[in-house]
Amino acid sequence: MPTSFTVVPVEAQGPAERHGERPQEEEDDDRDRGAGDGIAKENSPFINNAEVDKGNMYEGKNMALFEEEMDSNPMVSSLLNKLANYTNLTQGVVEHEADEDSKRKEIKVPRMGTFIGVYLPCLQNILGVILFLRLTWIVGTAGVLESFIIVFMCCACTMLTAISMSAIATNGVVPAGGSYYMISRSLGPEFGGAVGLCFYLGTTFAGAMYILGTIEILLTYISPSAAIFKAEEVGGETEAMLNNMRVYGTCIIILMAIVVFVGVKYVNKLALVFLACVILSIIAIYAGVIKTAFDPPDFPICLLGNRTLSKRSFDVCAKFTESNNETRTTTLWRLFCDSSSLNATCDDYFNLNNVTEIQGIPGITSGVLIDNLWSTYSEKGSIVEKKDQPSVAGSEDTKMGGLPYVFTDIMTYFTMLVGIYFPSVTGIMAGSNRSGDLKDAQKSIPTGTILAISTTSFIYLSCIVLFGACIEGVILRDKFGEAVNGNLVVGTLAWPSPWVIVIGSFFSTCGAGLQSLTGAPRLLQAIARDGIVPFIQVFGHGKANGEPTWALLLTAGICEIGILIASLDSVAPILSMFFLMCYMFVNLACAVQTLLRTPNWRPRFKYYHWTLSFLGMSLCLALMFICSWYYALVAMLIAGCIYKYIEYRGAEKEWGDGIRGLSLNAARYALLRVEDGPPHTKNWRPQLLVLLNLDSEQLVKHPRLLSFTSQLKAGKGLTIVGSVLQGIYLDKCTETQKAEENVKALMGVEKTKGFCQIVVSPNYRDGISYLIQSAGLGGMKHNTVLMAWPQSWKQTENHFSWKNFVDAVRETTAAQQALLVAKNIDLFPTNQERFTEGNIDVWWIVHDGGMLMLLPFLLRQHKVWRKCKMRIFTVAQMDDNSIQMKKDLQMFLYHLRLNAEVEVVEMFENDISAFTYEKTLMMEQRSQMLKQMQLSKNEREREIQSITDESRGSIRRKSYSSPQSIGQDAEALLTNDCREEEAQLIHDRNTASHSAPAAKASMAAAAPEKVQMTWTKEKFVAEKHKNKDSNASGFKDIFNMKPNQSNVRRMHTAVKLNGVVLNKSQHAQLVLLNMPGPPKNRKGDENYMEFLEVLTEGLDRVLLVRGSGREVITIYS
C-alpha cells in the first residue's frame, strides 16, 4: 500500500514545535489536507497522518525503546480513534468523491441506511420502461413458459453478479465510482478502463432508451395528435413514427441536458417522486389482476375470422347494422369494400369470414393461461391471429396493405426477446455507486442489492404469469394496443384506470432518462481523472463546483446516436451488451480474487463462492451471444481496443489488482513446471545474461550491446541485463537505483524486453561472479552470457580488465553456460539501421553444440540482418578430404533446414615465421617485466602502453628476421631494431645501470625524451638496496629469455587463422568465430588475451562464441 513519509529533523524545528506547541494555522492546514498523496491509489491512515499530535509522542518513558521510530511509525494509541472512524469517503482521492472540494473543513457523517440508500435506488433503476412497454408483448410472443425462462435467466445473471459485487464491495472501501472502481482495483487499469468505458456507454444508451420510451408513451398513448410526421401512404406509419421519435428525442435530450447542467440537485430530489410513480403503477397492476377475478374490465376485441382488427379506424365491430328494418354498412365494410353498397366488391377474406367480438381481458379465472403457455413467433409484417379461432382462407394475392389488421412490426424469435428484455434487470449497481453516502456500506450494499433483485425478480416473474392468465393472447402480441383503441396493454389491466399506468410510466421513464444523464458523465469523469485513458482526460474537467460539463456534452452526443436509431427494440440489445460485459467482469474479478486467496481478500459478505462467480460470468457471456452475436463481437472488439490502448499508451497504475496476482500465480506454476529438468534441444534458445559496463554517471558505456540483444532475441525468451557497482550496498543505494533507472530507460529505447539486475560488490570480479551464479529464478535462468570485449584491457585502471574478463570466461564454462563476446561493439548496427546486402560469416573451427549455426538464423529473423546471407567456413587440415567435408556440411545444413553457402578452407602446416617468434617474445617479455617490477599505477600504465606501441609497430613493419636472431643478446636487439623503445623497456636508468652497463650509454640519450620520472633520494636508496641481486638477475633473464614453445604454437595458430579469416571475411557484416578456452594455468591469462586480440585483428564486427557443452540445435522435428 503506497505511503508517503515526511521526516522532519529535530534541529530544523522551532522551539514551539519541538514542545508540541504547533501554530494553529498549521494544525488547520493539516486538518484540511487529506491523508492521501493526491495519486489515484489507496492511502493508508496508519503512516504519516497529519492529524497525529506529535507533541504527545515522546511523553512518558514506557515506549522509549521506539522513540526513534515515532516520526514515521506513530503510536497505535494515538491512531485508534481515527481507525475506528475510518469513513467510507476516500481520503486524498478526490476524483471519486461526489464533493470535489478537496479542502472541505469537515466531513459530513453519512446518514443513509439500507432501505433509503440502497434498496429504493436499486428498485427505481431496475423497474422501468421495459416492464410497462414490452413485457406484455414478450409474454404474448414467447409464451408464458419461454418468457419465464428469459426472465429467470436474466434475473439469475443479476443475482449472481450481485453476490460477486457484494463480496468485492465489502472487501474494503468502495468510493463513488461503483462498478468501475471495483473492476479497475480488482482486475487492473486495463480491464477497469475498458469495462468502465463499456459501462459508461451502456448507461448512456440506457438514457437514449428511456427517452425513446418516453416519446413512445407520449405519441402513442397520451397525445397521438402531437405527431409532426404523418403517414402519407399505406405502410408508412412505422417510418413516420421513427421520424417523430428522432425529432422529439433530440428536443428532449437537449432539454434534459440543460436541466442536468443547471440543477442536478433537483434531479436527485425528484428521484423519489419518480420512484413513487413506478410503485403506484405496479400496485395498480396487481389491483387490476385481483379485480379481474370477479369483475373483468370491458375491453372487447374485434376479429375477422381469426385475424385481429385495429380499432383505430372504426367504431362498430360488424359488417353492417340493422336500424328500422334497414341494413346499413359500417365503417369496417367500407375499409374492406370498394363502396358502401351491399353489392360492392369486397376483400375475399372479408367475404368468407365473419366478424366476431371477444373479451380482451377475460380475467384470471377464465383459463386463458393454457392458451398463452406456448410461443407464437412471427415474421415482420404478419397479421396477429388468434389460435383455435375458425377461419376460411382467402386468395393469396390479396394485398394486405391499407386493411385495418394488427401487424407485427419486427420479426420475433427467442434470442431477440432476450436482448430486448435484459435492460429491465440492469440497475443493480445503484447501491454500490452510493457507497460513500451510507452509514455502513459493508452491511447495506449486499442486503439492499440482493433484496432489491429478489423483489424485482418476484415482480417480473409474477407479472409474466398474471399477464398470461388474465389477458387474451392477441392483445398480448399487439405491441401498441391497436386492438384496444390504442390503449397501453398493461393499462387495460390496471385499476382504477389505464391512465394510472400511462402517466406513471411516462414520469418513470422521464426520471430514468434524467438519472442516466446525471450518472453517466460522473462515471466518465471518474475514469478520466484516474488518468488511465489519455485521450479522455479532457472530460475530467468541469465547472467550479465539480459538475462534469464536458462529460455531459459527450454523453448527450452519444445519447443522440441512440435517438437517431429511433427504435427502442434496436437500442435495447446495444446496452444489453455493454451491461452484460460489465457484469461478466465483476464476476471474473470476484472469481480471480477468491481463487488467488490474496491476503487482502477478506470480504465481510461471506455467502459467495468462486463457482457462483464463474457461473455468473459464463451466464453473462452466454447471454451476450444469445442476444446478438454480432453486437457481442462488436462490444468485445471495442473493449479489446480500449484495453490494448490503455496497455500501450495509458499511465501505469499499481492498484494491487487481481490480474497482477494471477500473473504471479501463473508464473509460479510455470516456474515450478520448468524446474523439472533442462529444456529439450528443440526448445533451447539463448536465455541471455547481458553484462553491461557503466561509467561514473551510472550510464551505459556500450548501448549497442542492448541493440544487439534485441536483434538476437526479437522479444522472445529470457533476457537479464546485469551490471556491477563496486562498493558497499549501504553506501551505494542511490547509485544502484539511478543505475537501474538508466538501464531500464535504455532497455525501453532499444526495445529490449527483459529484467534488470544491478549488483553491488566490493570488487568487480566478484560482482560478475554473483550475476553468473545467481541471476534468474528456477528454470528461468540464463544459459548464455553476452558481454563486450574489453577494448582497453591493457590499462589496469579499467574495472573490466583482462583478469576480470578471463575469470568471467572461466566461470561461464564452469557453470555450463554459453558465452558470446562482441568485439568492436560500438560498430554494431542500431535497431534503426538496415543492411541491404552483405554476409554473416560463420567460422566453424570446433564443434560447440551448434551455437554458431543457431545464432545467424536468429539474427536473420530481425529486420536489421534479414537481407544478409549466411556463409559457413570450416578449416581442413592436411589429412582431411576437403571435398567430402563440403558435401557432409551441406547435407548437415540441409537437415538443419538452414540456407547457407558452404566453403572449406584448406590451412596446411608450414614453418613458424620469424614474425610469430618475435610477436610471442614481445608478449612474454612484457608479461614478465610487469611481474618483476614493482611499479606505481601510473608508471605501470606507461610501461604497458610502450610495449603495446612496440608490438603494433612490429606488426606494421612485418620484420621477418631469422629465428636464430631472436635468441641473440638483448643489448644487440635493442641497439639494432628498436633503439627508439629502449627507454621504456628498462625501469630506470639508475636501476638499469646495476644490471646492464652496456645499455647505460644508449639509455642516457633516450631517457630524457621518453621517461619523465621524479626520484627522491630516499626512493633511490630504497630501490637501490631492494632485492639487488634478484633484480639484476631478473633483468638479465628478460633480455636473454626465449619464447615458450607452447605460446609460439598458439600465436602461430592465431596469426595464421587471422590471415585466413581476413582473406575471406574482411568485408562481412558480421564474423562469428569459435572462442578458444582460457589456459588451465592461470599464469598465461594475459597471453590468452593477446592470442584473442591477434585472432580478431583487422575485423570490424566479431562475435566470439563459446558453447555451453550441450547440443542446442537438432535435425529432428
Side-chain angles (χ1 to χ4, degrees):
M1 189 173 289
T3 55
S4 53
F5 294 87
T6 306
V7 181
V8 183
V10 176
E11 292 77 15
Q13 297 177 355
E17 292 179 66
R18 202 171 296 148
H19 294 289
E21 299 171 7
R22 303 173 64 203
Q24 184 63 35
E25 295 81 11
E26 189 176 338
E27 289 183 9
D28 290 342
D29 287 346
D30 283 349
R31 197 176 297 117
D32 292 347
R33 287 194 295 268
D37 49 11
I39 302 170
K41 298 180 179 180
E42 293 80 9
N43 295 273
S44 171
F46 292 92
I47 296 176
N48 191 34
N49 199 296
E51 293 185 22
V52 175
D53 186 3
K54 292 182 180 178
N56 295 330
M57 282 183 184
Y58 305 110
E59 289 182 4
K61 298 181 181 176
N62 292 337
M63 294 297 165
L65 183 61
F66 298 94
E67 65 184 16
E68 290 186 3
E69 303 176 37
M70 292 296 185
D71 283 335
S72 58
N73 299 326
M75 291 277 294
V76 172
S77 57
S78 63
L79 278 177
L80 278 177
N81 182 51
K82 183 150 193 70
L83 294 176
N85 295 313
Y86 188 61
T87 66
N88 286 336
L89 288 172
T90 54
Q91 300 175 22
V93 193
V94 296
E95 57 265 39
H96 291 303
E97 299 177 14
D99 183 4
E100 297 298 335
D101 183 11
S102 62
K103 291 188 176 182
R104 51 184 172 273
K105 294 296 179 183
E106 59 182 82
I107 299 172
K108 294 181 180 178
V109 179
R111 293 295 178 191
M112 284 196 289
T114 303
F115 187 74
I116 298 292
V118 180
Y119 181 75
L120 290 182
C122 284
L123 216 60
Q124 181 192 358
N125 279 267
I126 295 171
L127 298 171
V129 62
I130 301 295
L131 171 65
F132 301 118
L133 295 184
R134 293 290 181 270
L135 191 59
T136 52
W137 172 70
I138 290 172
V139 172
T141 306
V144 172
L145 291 179
E146 288 185 28
S147 300
F148 200 90
I149 291 170
I150 291 173
V151 175
F152 183 79
M153 274 199 310
C154 295
C155 291
C157 175
T158 55
M159 179 61 82
L160 292 169
T161 304
I163 291 171
S164 298
M165 184 195 73
S166 298
I168 298 173
T170 57
N171 187 51
V173 181
V174 178
S179 59
Y180 160 68
Y181 184 90
M182 287 189 289
I183 295 169
S184 63
R185 268 51 176 186
S186 296
L187 293 180
E190 293 88 1
F191 277 113
V195 180
L197 284 176
C198 285
F199 189 50
Y200 162 74
L201 290 172
T203 309
T204 306
F205 275 104
M209 184 188 74
Y210 291 131
I211 291 169
L212 291 173
T214 303
I215 302 161
E216 185 176 311
I217 293 168
L218 176 69
L219 296 181
T220 308
Y221 307 116
I222 296 178
S223 177
S225 59
I228 299 171
F229 297 92
K230 308 284 186 185
E232 296 178 356
E233 56 184 30
V234 175
E237 295 87 353
T238 304
E239 190 58 38
M241 185 64 177
L242 292 179
N243 288 330
N244 285 321
M245 290 274 200
R246 292 182 182 110
V247 173
Y248 274 95
T250 304
C251 297
I252 289 180
I253 201 168
I254 293 171
L255 186 65
M256 283 186 172
I258 293 171
V259 169
V260 171
F261 178 77
V262 173
V264 69
K265 293 179 182 177
Y266 303 110
V267 175
N268 292 331
K269 287 179 180 177
L270 286 171
L272 285 177
V273 176
F274 298 139
L275 178 61
C277 293
V278 175
I279 293 172
L280 284 174
S281 301
I282 292 169
I283 291 171
I285 292 170
Y286 281 111
V289 168
I290 294 169
K291 184 174 178 291
T292 61
F294 51 87
D295 184 17
D298 183 28
F299 277 102
I301 307 168
C302 193
L303 298 177
L304 176 62
N306 64 351
R307 297 177 177 177
T308 312
L309 298 175
S310 170
K311 277 198 171 181
R312 290 181 184 271
S313 310
F314 62 92
D315 300 323
V316 180
C317 182
K319 292 183 179 180
F320 39 80
T321 56
E322 291 191 9
S323 174
N324 300 323
N325 293 326
E326 182 181 352
T327 304
R328 293 183 179 179
T329 57
T330 60
T331 310
L332 182 62
W333 178 281
R334 290 191 286 276
L335 290 171
F336 281 93
C337 303
D338 55 4
S339 70
S340 57
S341 61
L342 288 172
N343 58 356
T345 306
C346 296
D347 178 74
D348 193 26
Y349 188 86
F350 184 76
N351 287 330
L352 294 173
N353 291 278
N354 294 323
V355 174
T356 55
E357 197 170 52
I358 61 170
Q359 196 55 251
I361 302 179
I364 197 169
T365 56
S366 63
V368 74
L369 177 65
I370 305 299
D371 299 332
N372 293 331
L373 278 178
W374 312 109
S375 60
T376 312
Y377 298 116
S378 57
E379 296 290 328
K380 180 181 179 180
S382 58
I383 299 171
V384 176
E385 298 177 343
K386 178 173 168 54
K387 290 179 283 188
D388 304 327
Q389 182 77 9
S391 69
V392 180
S395 63
E396 295 294 330
D397 346 326
T398 310
K399 289 185 180 179
M400 300 292 184
L403 300 178
Y405 294 124
V406 176
F407 296 98
T408 55
D409 62 334
I410 55 173
M411 185 173 70
T412 54
Y413 44 92
F414 179 81
T415 56
M416 188 223 26
L417 296 181
V418 175
I420 291 175
Y421 173 75
F422 188 81
S424 67
V425 296
T426 60
I428 62 172
M429 301 288 185
S432 62
N433 289 350
R434 296 166 182 248
S435 61
D437 303 324
L438 303 172
K439 277 182 187 176
D440 185 358
Q442 299 193 357
K443 178 183 175 184
S444 297
I445 289 176
T447 309
T449 306
I450 291 172
L451 275 177
I453 292 173
S454 303
T455 306
T456 52
S457 299
F458 172 77
I459 290 171
Y460 283 129
L461 292 170
S462 61
C463 281
I464 285 171
V465 176
L466 294 176
F467 291 162
C470 295
I471 305 175
E472 183 60 55
V474 288
I475 292 192
L476 288 174
R477 293 192 295 280
D478 181 8
K479 186 187 287 185
F480 301 108
E482 294 179 14
V484 284
N485 300 319
N487 279 303
L488 184 61
V489 175
V490 182
T492 59
L493 185 62
W495 178 87
S497 165
W499 285 100
V500 175
I501 298 289
V502 172
I503 301 299
S505 60
F506 177 78
F507 283 113
S508 164
T509 49
C510 266
L514 280 171
Q515 290 285 355
S516 295
L517 280 180
T518 306
R522 278 162 176 70
L523 179 59
L524 181 63
Q525 188 182 45
I527 300 170
R529 290 193 172 182
D530 255 352
I532 58 172
V533 188
F535 72 87
I536 65 164
Q537 286 189 359
V538 65
F539 299 109
H541 305 296
K543 291 195 293 186
N545 62 351
E547 290 300 317
T549 311
W550 295 107
L552 177 62
L553 287 175
L554 180 68
T555 304
I558 296 173
C559 243
E560 179 62 22
I561 296 173
I563 297 297
L564 293 176
I565 294 173
S567 168
L568 189 145
D569 300 322
S570 300
V571 173
I574 296 175
L575 65 104
S576 293
M577 289 303 116
F578 292 126
F579 278 119
L580 278 167
M581 185 172 289
C582 177
Y583 296 165
M584 181 175 73
F585 280 103
V586 169
N587 284 300
L588 175 63
C590 182
V592 166
Q593 296 280 27
T594 308
L595 288 172
L596 286 177
R597 296 188 181 92
T598 50
N600 194 50
W601 179 248
R602 304 185 299 275
R604 286 196 173 278
F605 181 76
K606 299 299 181 185
Y607 306 102
Y608 70 94
H609 195 267
W610 70 267
T611 52
L612 293 177
S613 301
F614 190 78
L615 181 63
M617 183 181 72
S618 306
L619 192 55
C620 288
L621 188 62
L623 283 173
M624 284 178 71
F625 282 93
I626 285 172
C627 293
S628 171
W629 63 268
Y630 47 89
Y631 276 167
L633 291 177
V634 170
M636 286 180 168
L637 181 65
I638 292 171
C641 290
I642 298 168
Y643 178 94
K644 295 306 290 182
Y645 178 80
I646 295 171
E647 188 179 57
Y648 179 67
R649 290 290 305 276
E652 290 189 7
K653 301 284 181 183
E654 178 52 72
W655 286 330
D657 52 88
I659 293 298
R660 179 66 59 88
L662 194 62
S663 302
L664 288 171
N665 259 26
R668 170 185 159 276
Y669 176 76
L671 280 171
L672 290 173
R673 291 290 303 275
V674 172
E675 184 73 12
D676 290 342
H680 191 273
T681 303
K682 288 186 286 188
N683 295 328
W684 195 95
R685 65 169 63 247
Q687 316 282 16
L688 289 182
L689 168 62
V690 185
L691 296 178
L692 293 180
N693 206 6
L694 305 179
D695 59 17
S696 57
E697 298 295 323
Q698 316 308 331
L699 296 173
V700 178
K701 280 188 178 178
H702 303 294
R704 299 286 178 93
L705 200 59
L706 284 180
S707 304
F708 184 68
T709 303
S710 61
Q711 291 158 24
L712 185 61
K713 301 293 290 182
K716 301 289 189 294
L718 174 72
T719 303
I720 302 171
V721 180
S723 188
V724 177
L725 296 182
Q726 197 163 339
I728 306 298
Y729 183 67
L730 290 176
D731 302 331
K732 293 279 185 179
C733 286
T734 308
E735 288 91 334
T736 305
Q737 291 176 357
K738 183 180 177 184
E740 193 167 341
E741 288 170 6
N742 292 340
V743 171
K744 283 183 177 177
L746 185 62
M747 288 172 70
V749 171
E750 298 293 346
K751 296 180 180 176
T752 306
K753 295 183 178 180
F755 308 99
C756 174
Q757 189 166 350
I758 307 294
V759 171
V760 181
S761 171
N763 60 69
Y764 202 85
R765 182 239 176 279
D766 289 346
I768 295 292
S769 178
Y770 299 158
L771 281 172
I772 291 173
Q773 291 178 65
S774 62
L777 179 65
M780 286 299 284
K781 284 183 70 70
H782 61 279
N783 55 28
T784 306
V785 177
L786 171 62
M787 63 172 77
W789 172 263
Q791 298 288 359
S792 54
W793 62 272
K794 298 182 182 180
Q795 298 176 12
T796 52
E797 278 192 353
N798 181 21
H799 290 306
F800 201 47
S801 65
W802 58 271
K803 289 184 179 178
N804 295 330
F805 177 80
V806 177
D807 283 339
V809 175
R810 282 198 175 97
E811 285 179 355
T812 53
T813 305
Q816 296 184 327
Q817 295 170 5
L819 176 65
L820 309 178
V821 178
K823 193 163 186 283
N824 300 326
I825 185 63
D826 294 328
L827 298 178
F828 276 59
T830 63
N831 289 327
Q832 286 70 43
E833 293 180 46
R834 301 287 183 274
F835 288 135
T836 55
E837 58 182 0
N839 300 313
I840 299 176
D841 285 358
V842 176
W843 283 86
W844 193 22
I845 312 298
V846 294
H847 183 54
D848 59 349
M851 276 284 286
L852 281 168
M853 308 291 177
L854 187 61
L855 293 174
F857 170 75
L858 295 174
L859 280 174
R860 291 181 69 238
Q861 307 300 309
H862 196 275
K863 47 196 171 187
V864 172
W865 304 91
R866 189 165 291 155
K867 294 188 178 179
C868 292
K869 294 180 180 177
M870 181 176 165
R871 298 193 302 180
I872 296 183
F873 297 89
T874 189
V875 176
Q877 298 297 322
M878 196 76 164
D879 302 331
D880 296 327
N881 184 343
S882 57
I883 297 173
Q884 187 61 39
M885 280 178 65
K886 184 171 182 178
K887 288 181 179 178
D888 292 342
L889 183 54
Q890 286 173 335
M891 181 58 68
F892 179 59
L893 291 176
Y894 175 77
H895 287 313
L896 288 176
R897 291 90 64 203
L898 293 175
N899 297 320
E901 295 178 21
V902 174
E903 188 170 340
V904 177
V905 179
E906 295 180 345
M907 197 167 78
F908 300 120
E909 289 289 338
N910 58 358
D911 293 335
I912 297 173
S913 66
F915 167 72
T916 303
Y917 272 104
E918 183 185 353
K919 182 76 178 160
T920 311
L921 178 62
M922 290 297 179
M923 175 184 76
E924 292 188 356
Q925 281 181 342
R926 172 182 172 276
S927 178
Q928 190 67 23
M929 284 181 67
L930 289 180
K931 289 176 183 175
Q932 292 188 359
M933 296 179 183
Q934 303 297 322
L935 300 177
S936 68
K937 185 182 288 186
N938 292 334
E939 291 167 345
R940 182 185 293 249
E941 182 178 345
R942 217 170 2 248
E943 297 292 333
I944 292 170
Q945 190 59 46
S946 70
I947 299 297
T948 307
D949 294 341
E950 179 184 32
S951 172
R952 288 176 180 167
S954 299
I955 295 169
R956 285 195 297 271
R957 289 194 298 274
K958 298 285 183 181
S959 54
Y960 290 93
S961 57
S962 66
Q964 289 78 12
S965 67
I966 305 300
Q968 290 176 353
D969 185 71
E971 288 83 346
L973 178 66
L974 290 169
T975 306
N976 296 332
D977 289 336
C978 45
R979 194 175 184 84
E980 186 182 358
E981 288 87 357
E982 286 169 359
Q984 297 195 25
L985 283 174
I986 302 172
H987 174 52
D988 180 81
R989 75 182 164 189
N990 296 326
T991 309
S993 66
H994 295 283
S995 58
K1000 184 174 181 180
S1002 60
M1003 199 176 85
E1009 298 175 19
K1010 286 292 180 179
V1011 182
Q1012 303 295 330
M1013 298 185 184
T1014 303
W1015 287 85
T1016 63
K1017 184 178 180 180
E1018 293 79 6
K1019 185 174 181 182
F1020 175 75
V1021 172
E1023 185 70 23
K1024 180 179 178 181
H1025 296 289
K1026 185 177 180 182
N1027 298 327
K1028 185 174 181 180
D1029 298 332
S1030 63
N1031 276 349
S1033 61
F1035 283 111
K1036 284 179 183 177
D1037 291 342
I1038 289 172
F1039 295 111
N1040 292 307
M1041 66 187 294
K1042 290 185 179 181
N1044 181 285
Q1045 288 304 309
S1046 175
N1047 285 341
V1048 171
R1049 288 198 310 273
R1050 287 188 174 91
M1051 183 64 77
H1052 175 69
T1053 304
V1055 171
K1056 189 83 168 131
L1057 192 55
N1058 176 253
V1060 173
V1061 173
L1062 274 177
N1063 183 35
K1064 296 287 185 182
S1065 302
Q1066 190 166 14
H1067 302 294
Q1069 302 292 8
L1070 180 65
V1071 177
L1072 283 83
L1073 270 168
N1074 281 119
M1075 182 179 181
K1080 293 180 180 179
N1081 184 0
R1082 288 179 178 271
K1083 292 180 181 178
D1085 286 358
E1086 192 174 1
N1087 299 338
Y1088 172 68
M1089 297 295 291
E1090 193 71 47
F1091 296 145
L1092 293 180
E1093 191 77 67
V1094 171
L1095 178 63
T1096 57
E1097 191 165 7
L1099 298 171
D1100 287 341
R1101 303 182 192 90
V1102 184
L1103 188 66
L1104 293 170
V1105 181
R1106 184 159 172 73
S1108 61
R1110 61 161 294 170
E1111 293 293 328
V1112 301
I1113 195 166
T1114 178
I1115 63 174
Y1116 298 106
S1117 61

